[in-house]
Amino acid sequence: MEPYSDDTRAILGLKLPTDPRWVDLAALSLEAILTDHAWCEQKAAITCISLVQRFCEYEELVTALSPVASEEWGHFRLVVAELRRRGLRLGRQRKDEYVGRLLEFAKKAGRVEERYLDQMLFMAMVEARSCERFKRLSEGLADEQLRKFYRRFMESEAGHYTLFIGLAEARFPKERVRDRWAEWLQFEAGVIRNLEVRGDRIH
């Protein structure tokens, strides 16, 4: 992999960059990558709704995520529209191996507060990697319209990453959030290192 020389690492803290071959592979599989992107946005919307249901006693989360759920669903519609504009079809949803591996790391037992912290950092992690991937697409694709398309999504994911970190810090000392986030970053780097490089999926 190329050295992580751009500003994404400084902003997001990711330990490993996306393999540079990924953008070229994605460019050869536009229907597949746009399909996967659409379903990622749909799952993000559903997850936000689920979090509101699960942690309804946390007023700041309900307030913050209610509009995000609508935004993510709007993103699903935008990606589907882009597929149709290009004469492509929305394919079947696939199992997300990356997300599955991250979920294995999240705490599932213990106090609800502990599970809440890990849920916020899990969401921040997915948004951070998505932001990095969209940045790669916004800079590496030959199609100018798609570069602009993904620049918009990159900016949105960066905002969501910040939001979830902020929700964690609203409930826990910043030092505790920072320490656990460092553990998430190390684990995620191992996941990225061991995943096959494929151009038909966002993660």
Side-chain angles (χ1 to χ4, degrees):
M1 290 185 177
E2 66 182 5
Y4 208 115
S5 58
D6 60 29
D7 60 353
T8 310
R9 180 178 182 181
I11 296 170
L12 304 172
L14 298 174
K15 300 300 182 182
L16 283 180
T18 290
D19 190 304
R21 296 173 295 173
W22 176 76
V23 173
D24 294 332
L25 293 171
L28 297 173
S29 310
L30 285 183
E31 185 171 79
I33 199 71
L34 285 167
T35 285
D36 193 59
H37 180 189
W39 290 121
C40 285
E41 300 291 354
Q42 180 257 7
K43 285 181 280 189
I46 291 174
T47 301
C48 285
I49 293 170
S50 175
L51 288 171
V52 168
Q53 293 173 324
R54 193 183 317 168
F55 301 109
C56 59
E57 68 274 21
Y58 295 169
E59 185 175 347
E60 71 275 14
L61 178 138
V62 175
T63 300
L65 293 194
S66 297
V68 174
S70 297
E71 181 185 353
E72 299 285 24
W73 184 248
H75 288 172
F76 171 78
R77 294 174 61 191
L78 283 173
V79 182
V80 170
E82 184 64 22
L83 276 161
R84 291 174 177 166
R85 190 183 74 80
R86 293 173 176 272
L88 304 174
R89 298 179 61 183
L90 177 66
R92 295 281 185 178
Q93 185 174 162
R94 66 164 181 84
K95 181 179 179 180
D96 193 324
E97 183 179 355
Y98 170 81
V99 168
R101 292 287 308 280
L102 292 186
L103 285 172
E104 292 174 3
F105 187 67
K107 292 180 180 178
K108 301 173 183 64
R111 295 185 304 164
V112 64
E113 291 85 0
E114 298 295 329
R115 299 197 302 274
Y116 177 84
L117 174 60
D118 257 26
Q119 188 66 62
M120 294 305 101
L121 296 184
F122 160 75
M123 294 296 291
M125 191 77 261
V126 174
E127 299 286 357
R129 181 56 68 180
S130 297
C131 177
E132 190 256 3
R133 291 282 167 101
F134 293 155
K135 183 176 189 293
R136 297 283 178 175
L137 292 172
S138 74
E139 296 174 346
L141 291 172
D143 186 311
E144 182 178 359
Q145 191 278 331
L146 267 184
R147 290 201 304 271
K148 292 179 180 178
F149 183 76
Y150 276 109
R151 177 76 188 183
R152 174 180 178 181
F153 282 103
M154 180 201 79
E155 293 170 353
S156 175
E157 302 300 85
H160 294 164
Y161 153 77
T162 302
L163 171 65
F164 284 109
I165 292 292
L167 285 170
E169 291 179 342
R171 290 273 162 181
F172 297 91
K174 289 186 177 181
E175 182 177 353
R176 184 175 179 186
V177 174
R178 183 175 62 248
D179 289 347
R180 182 57 177 162
W181 180 239
E183 294 174 356
W184 271 97
L185 289 168
Q186 286 299 131
F187 180 81
E188 196 263 357
V191 172
I192 291 294
R193 187 179 293 111
N194 291 299
L195 281 179
E196 178 185 1
V197 179
R198 297 183 57 166
D200 61 347
R201 55 193 58 189
I202 292 296
H203 302 122

